[in-house]
Amino acid sequence: MAISDRMKRMSNCVGITLKEEGFKGELYTCFENEPRTFADVDDFFNIVNTFLDVLEFPAQKVKYRSFKKTLPTLKLVDIDPNEKLFNTEHLLDLCDKKAFVIMVTGRDNATWQGMIYNKSEDKEYSFNSEVELLRIINN
């Protein structure tokens, strides 16, 4: 089973390669030639969230609130959403053996829903929360 046609068409997919120790690795998008590194789960979620915010897809259904007068904005990803460099399928070529392609299809109730392709198992899974996503990745 190869990566699904739906994932091939979507530009909001990210590829990740995990290192052996902890939840560290590299994150690839179709809009950048160089990977971004993440040191932990928080880095990973922050980078992907800002990437999805720049693409404006999928839209967040819940906005974060604060008692401060100005909200801090994360500017971790600076891409042009109209400048796609390559197709989603090419993300698999960039990633190592322990690699995944993640497609977030929704951000309802302050959590992610979507699909994940495991390169080493050659299987695709669906997830309904970040916890479920992490459980699939860590198996």
Side-chain angles (χ1 to χ4, degrees):
M1 172 185 177
I3 192 169
S4 71
D5 289 335
R6 183 176 179 199
M7 287 181 92
K8 288 179 189 175
R9 290 191 309 266
M10 301 303 284
S11 60
N12 65 325
C13 294
V14 296
I16 63 167
T17 300
L18 294 177
K19 306 240 187 269
E20 294 299 321
E21 69 284 340
F23 199 84
K24 297 178 184 179
E26 296 178 331
L27 186 137
Y28 301 86
T29 70
C30 297
F31 298 91
E32 300 172 297
N33 287 320
E34 295 298 317
R36 295 182 176 274
T37 58
F38 56 92
D40 56 19
V41 175
D42 285 339
D43 279 352
F44 167 73
F45 284 126
N46 285 334
I47 292 169
V48 176
N49 259 328
T50 55
F51 169 68
L52 297 173
D53 288 344
V54 169
L55 290 181
E56 297 178 349
F57 181 79
Q60 284 187 354
K61 303 294 191 293
V62 175
K63 294 290 182 188
Y64 297 104
R65 297 185 199 184
S66 174
F67 290 107
K68 297 179 183 177
K69 291 187 180 190
T70 59
L71 292 173
T73 56
L74 294 172
K75 289 288 186 184
L76 300 174
V77 177
D78 187 25
I79 60 167
D80 183 0
N82 298 319
E83 296 287 328
K84 189 172 179 181
L85 300 177
F86 47 83
N87 292 328
T88 302
E89 210 168 4
H90 185 62
L91 290 173
L92 291 172
D93 299 333
L94 297 173
C95 298
D96 291 340
K97 290 186 297 187
K98 190 172 182 183
F100 304 90
V101 174
I102 301 167
M103 179 178 68
V104 179
T105 56
R107 293 194 282 176
D108 299 332
N109 302 320
T111 190
W112 295 354
Q113 300 81 40
M115 299 166 60
I116 181 169
Y117 174 77
N118 185 333
K119 183 178 178 180
S120 61
E121 293 179 5
D122 195 29
K123 286 187 180 178
E124 197 169 278
Y125 302 94
S126 61
F127 60 91
N128 291 313
S129 68
E130 286 104 337
V131 173
E132 206 172 320
L133 170 68
L134 292 174
R135 196 173 300 142
I136 293 169
I137 290 173
N138 288 323
N139 279 339

